[in-house]
Amino acid sequence: MGIVILLIMLAGVVLMLTGKLPTAFALVILGVVIALVAGAPLSGENSVLDTVLQEGAGKLAATMIAILLGSWLGRLLDETGIAGTLVRKIVEFGGDRPTLVALGVLVVSALIGTVTGSAPAAMLAGIIGIPAMIAVGVPKVTAAGTILMGIAAGMPFELPVWQFFSTALDLPVDTVRSFMLKLFPFAAAFAVLFVLVETRRRGVEHAWSLRSADAAADRRPSRRERLGDAPWYALFTPLVPLVLALVLDVPIIPSLLAGVLFALVTTTRPRDMNKRLLRTLYSAFDVAAAPITLFVAIGVLLAAVSLPGSIETLEPLVKNVSPQNPVLFVIVFAALVPLCLYRGPLNVYGLGAGIAGVLIATGIYPAVAVLGLMASYNQVFGVADPTSTQTVWSAQYSGVKPQQVMVRTLPYVWGVALGGLIVTASLYV
């Protein structure tokens, strides 16, 4: 029966890869079918309706709220001009030195990546950053990759990601934070290495991205751009939730709320605060709708693979194929890195979440080892997956194909994943 469940998972991967079903729909269907195959009753304890659908749908509620607040803060960074000001100041400081400009944009992208992820983060850093990099001679693919590598460098400190791993893997936030601090040096080092190597690899290319140029020309200046830069003290906004959660040990949701209030108070007149709060909150719902839907589906899948029948069925099969030796752990899972691309079976925001649930529920690895595995893979997905929204946007805005960005960035994020796997194996396996 375990093989049947694995075949069902494989069918789900095919449906997602071929676009026959949206990822969220496919995950919900997988959860229901897996529960039925595992012998779960229709209703009652450990059932399809009550446990998988009812409880599973709200399993990641804290993550959904964190995603919404991160999106809200991202909308404020955009509307108040904080993100644009950060990028412009860095570009002005770099002058006409391509490597320095790219490193500056990388740092700003990392700061924004601690607040929000996906396409909104790429747009906040890239709308100004990508044309500026291309204008001083940074190759187009490198410009897109710089934005993505920067966001990924900030991802270990992205509070909604902490909340997701904490809830999905049933781990204390302190444990998630501890591993992310160990992962960050790899993400930062390979991001800087990417800029240093790729800006010199093909030399300076004084060519403008037509797509970026046209977009910049067609876009009317917003009110914040006409009024000028955001106040200097408002530029600390991305650091506020990070310092509260990382240094002062404030819970994630209050930390994000503090960031929202800081951005508002430092940029908005009292009489305009109410309108701005509501306007940006409503816009945040538009941004957060897709990931929240996905987290509902992931919760359903996690509930299904955690059922007693699923665990009993899958445990012997999974145990036989999971490496227990630390060296083999690193070798095997490093070799499987490409399976998190193209919404593959190890994509943590897809079927990978279900696999993580199986590994924990069956006791194959301790939960913190699964955290290390999934967080390492997430670094690859967040940069090199040609189907992820931030990769698609960055590539198209730079005037290149997502596959070109994947080829150029994959060796670097593979290195990040390898570093995370080595840390995981040495400490937790």
Side-chain angles (χ1 to χ4, degrees):
M1 196 62 70
I3 295 177
V4 173
I5 292 178
L6 292 181
L7 289 174
I8 291 170
M9 289 182 170
L10 179 61
V13 171
V14 172
L15 289 173
M16 287 183 279
L17 285 176
T18 56
K20 300 294 184 183
L21 275 178
T23 300
F25 292 177
L27 294 181
V28 171
I29 293 172
L30 277 177
V32 172
V33 174
I34 288 171
L36 292 173
V37 171
L42 193 60
S43 61
E45 186 178 359
N46 294 321
S47 66
V48 175
L49 296 180
D50 294 315
T51 305
V52 175
L53 292 177
Q54 176 67 25
E55 296 177 14
K59 182 178 178 66
L60 301 177
T63 302
M64 299 176 206
I65 295 172
I67 288 289
L68 176 60
L69 291 176
S71 301
W72 191 7
L73 184 50
R75 292 299 303 146
L76 279 167
L77 290 180
D78 181 31
E79 181 171 313
T80 60
I82 294 172
T85 301
L86 280 169
V87 177
R88 282 194 295 272
K89 294 299 183 183
I90 288 294
V91 170
E92 290 170 5
F93 174 77
D96 59 354
R97 293 163 288 186
T99 301
L100 196 57
V101 170
L103 285 173
V105 174
L106 182 80
V107 172
V108 174
S109 300
L111 281 174
I112 293 172
T114 66
V115 173
T116 186
S118 194
M123 287 188 282
L124 285 172
I127 283 177
I128 297 173
I130 287 175
M133 285 188 285
I134 294 174
V136 297
V138 175
K140 296 176 183 179
V141 176
T142 304
T146 297
I147 296 293
L148 297 168
M149 293 294 294
I151 294 171
M155 197 183 301
F157 296 126
E158 187 183 344
L159 300 190
V161 171
W162 289 11
Q163 187 65 66
F164 169 64
F165 283 125
S166 173
T167 308
L169 305 180
D170 196 21
L171 285 169
V173 172
D174 288 349
T175 302
V176 176
R177 178 176 58 193
S178 177
F179 179 80
M180 291 303 190
L181 285 173
K182 297 178 178 69
L183 183 62
F184 171 70
F186 296 101
F190 277 98
V192 172
L193 183 65
F194 172 84
V195 171
L196 295 179
V197 172
E198 296 298 328
T199 53
R200 291 175 169 82
R201 183 179 178 184
R202 297 174 61 184
V204 174
E205 295 182 4
H206 288 293
W208 189 262
S209 165
L210 293 180
R211 183 180 295 274
S212 301
D214 291 343
D218 293 341
R219 192 170 59 92
R220 290 185 177 181
S222 65
R223 182 175 181 272
R224 63 170 172 78
E225 290 172 324
R226 294 195 303 270
L227 293 177
D229 292 335
W232 65 268
Y233 43 84
L235 304 184
F236 291 99
T237 297
L239 296 176
V240 169
L242 184 60
V243 170
L244 289 174
L246 186 62
V247 179
L248 302 180
D249 207 22
V250 176
I252 290 173
I253 289 176
S255 296
L256 289 168
L257 279 172
V260 168
L261 292 176
F262 185 84
L264 185 74
V265 170
T266 56
T267 59
T268 310
R269 295 174 181 174
R271 68 185 183 206
D272 297 326
M273 285 184 179
N274 187 47
K275 290 182 179 179
R276 174 162 279 173
L277 271 177
L278 290 175
R279 183 169 60 247
T280 52
L281 176 58
Y282 294 155
S283 298
F285 274 102
D286 290 337
V287 174
I292 286 176
T293 302
L294 185 59
F295 285 125
V296 170
I298 289 174
V300 169
L301 182 60
L302 287 173
V305 298
S306 300
L307 291 172
S310 300
I311 296 171
E312 182 181 350
T313 301
L314 291 169
E315 182 176 8
L317 185 61
V318 175
K319 186 172 288 187
N320 287 334
V321 299
S322 300
Q324 300 299 313
N325 179 279
V327 175
L328 282 178
F329 179 93
V330 173
I331 293 173
V332 170
F333 286 114
L336 295 178
V337 159
L339 293 182
C340 67
L341 301 175
Y342 287 99
R343 306 285 174 176
L346 292 181
N347 174 8
V348 67
Y349 297 118
L351 191 56
I355 293 175
V358 171
L359 292 174
I360 293 175
T362 56
I364 304 299
Y365 299 119
V368 67
V370 179
L371 164 67
L373 179 64
M374 292 295 113
S376 299
Y377 282 161
N378 193 37
Q379 291 291 315
V380 179
F381 165 76
V383 175
D385 189 341
T387 67
S388 66
T389 54
Q390 64 266 32
T391 305
V392 171
W393 185 89
S394 299
Q396 291 181 343
Y397 195 70
S398 301
V400 297
K401 296 179 180 179
Q403 289 79 5
Q404 292 175 274
V405 177
M406 177 188 71
V407 171
R408 195 66 62 82
T409 59
L410 184 56
Y412 299 92
V413 288
W414 209 324
V416 178
L418 179 61
L421 291 172
I422 291 172
V423 170
T424 300
S426 61
L427 295 179
Y428 311 121
V429 175

